[in-house]
Amino acid sequence: MGLARHLQKEAQAQHNNSEFTEEQKKTIGKIATCLELRSAALQSTQSQEEFKLEDLKKLEPILKNILTYNKEFPFGVQPVPLRILAPGEEEHLEFEEDEEEGGAGAGSPDSFPARVPGTLLPRLPSEPGMTLLTIRIEKIGLKDPGQCIDPYITVSVKDLNGIDLTPVQDTPVASRKEDTYVHFNVDIELQKHIEKLTKGAAIFFEFKHYKPKKRFTSTKCFTFMEMDEIKPGPIVIELYKKPTDFKRKKLQLLTKKPLYLHLHQTLHKE
């Protein structure tokens, strides 16, 4: 567990204190999650979702070549969220039980604690003849929003091969839930002029939430918007089952019930 802890701290080190890039820090964070899962598997009597020793061995070449590793991570895990390692919490990590399982967080059951500040970026400078896009994420419709702890949305722009065209942005934790909706009401500034996006690009939205039992953040569902859908005004887009398919090849709707992400687009042209 000491290695997992050390890796988590390295993964969460501030930009200028670390020799690793943001992408490498994400990979290190995912390795830390795998070590936590292996540790949990060793302590568990159930063999249902065990993280086996041979799984762990797959991580060895990644760790050895962390500075040059650029392939897809072999497991669908997310880095351990930053808030797990809040000051003074490290020493209690092993004894942490699932106190949060019962609801959306401390305080009112209809609000979420703002623990994760998000990584939203400011609008780019305008350029003559170029268009910038602001997407307001209003709300997402779900069957069981009350079960989601610290929910947020990761926004990325990918080409047809699933390669990032802009920096990835995370929204802050949702502001509240109401009936079957989780409300965000945040603006995402697209980090590229529309005219500079490659043909076939898409804007992805991954809805993520924290799982106390597994101690990591999981993607619940995702959706995306293609270039021909970029127009001013409101838009609703259907939700798909995880894992996120950035190549858009095997899409499965989340449920038969119509569930949507509600957005509002604003175009800024010089």
Side-chain angles (χ1 to χ4, degrees):
M1 281 305 286
L3 179 58
R5 210 65 50 74
H6 179 75
L7 288 172
Q8 284 166 20
K9 282 182 177 167
E10 186 55 61
Q12 292 156 6
Q14 288 309 304
H15 216 26
N16 49 3
N17 298 346
S18 176
E19 61 189 282
F20 298 110
T21 66
E22 289 307 304
E23 210 48 50
Q24 286 162 353
K25 286 200 269 189
K26 267 187 206 166
T27 303
I28 291 169
K30 288 180 180 182
I31 292 169
T33 298
C34 292
L35 291 171
E36 290 246 357
L37 290 175
R38 176 62 186 154
S39 171
L42 288 171
Q43 292 164 40
S44 167
T45 49
Q46 300 167 337
S47 57
Q48 224 179 347
E49 281 194 67
E50 262 188 25
F51 199 86
K52 300 183 175 64
L53 182 59
E54 52 264 38
D55 292 331
L56 205 59
K57 284 179 178 166
K58 289 180 192 171
L59 301 177
E60 197 183 353
I62 303 175
L63 255 179
K64 278 185 176 165
N65 304 295
I66 190 69
L67 294 175
T68 53
Y69 183 81
N70 60 2
K71 298 185 189 72
E72 208 166 307
F73 199 76
F75 305 103
V77 297
Q78 292 297 326
V80 176
L82 181 60
R83 69 182 189 80
I84 288 284
L85 293 176
E89 255 190 312
E90 291 102 327
E91 57 271 30
H92 306 302
L93 201 56
E94 278 105 330
F95 312 107
E96 189 185 303
E97 289 302 321
D98 301 326
E99 301 149 272
E100 296 173 275
E101 265 299 56
S108 153
D110 290 333
S111 63
F112 296 108
R115 291 175 175 147
V116 186
T119 56
L120 299 185
L121 296 164
R123 191 180 304 167
L124 293 177
S126 56
E127 282 185 29
M130 294 287 172
T131 313
L132 287 168
L133 171 64
T134 303
I135 302 172
R136 187 165 190 77
I137 298 178
E138 293 178 343
K139 60 185 180 178
I140 187 170
L142 295 169
K143 281 197 304 184
D144 54 350
Q147 300 304 305
C148 300
I149 296 172
D150 288 0
Y152 67 96
I153 290 176
T154 296
V155 182
S156 57
V157 183
K158 311 273 186 188
D159 69 8
L160 280 168
N161 296 313
I163 306 296
D164 282 313
L165 299 175
T166 68
V168 176
Q169 302 184 65
D170 290 332
T171 71
V173 165
S175 53
R176 64 193 169 95
K177 72 173 176 62
E178 193 176 73
D179 303 325
T180 54
Y181 289 105
V182 176
H183 291 262
F184 286 91
N185 294 315
V186 290
D187 286 341
I188 307 290
E189 302 292 350
L190 203 73
Q191 297 295 300
K192 210 166 202 161
H193 296 86
I194 305 287
E195 292 80 1
K196 294 179 185 173
L197 289 171
T198 54
K199 196 179 172 195
I203 304 165
F204 280 82
F205 304 86
E206 297 172 272
F207 181 83
K208 297 176 178 180
H209 62 130
Y210 177 64
K211 291 194 162 178
K213 276 187 179 161
K214 295 181 184 173
R215 289 200 187 134
F216 67 83
T217 298
S218 166
T219 299
K220 186 175 178 68
C221 57
F222 76 98
T223 185
F224 59 90
M225 212 175 78
E226 295 184 312
M227 294 299 100
D228 60 358
E229 295 175 288
I230 295 179
K231 40 185 164 279
I235 181 174
V236 294
I237 45 180
E238 289 184 304
L239 305 176
Y240 298 102
K241 280 184 183 166
K242 64 178 186 181
T244 309
D245 180 10
F246 291 123
K247 294 183 181 178
R248 296 164 261 164
K249 295 260 168 64
K250 298 175 190 160
L251 299 170
Q252 261 188 305
L253 286 174
L254 183 61
T255 60
K256 287 180 183 148
K257 192 179 171 188
L259 295 175
Y260 301 101
L261 178 65
H262 296 248
L263 308 169
H264 191 282
Q265 302 182 77
T266 307
L267 296 173
H268 313 272
K269 189 153 188 169
E270 262 289 287

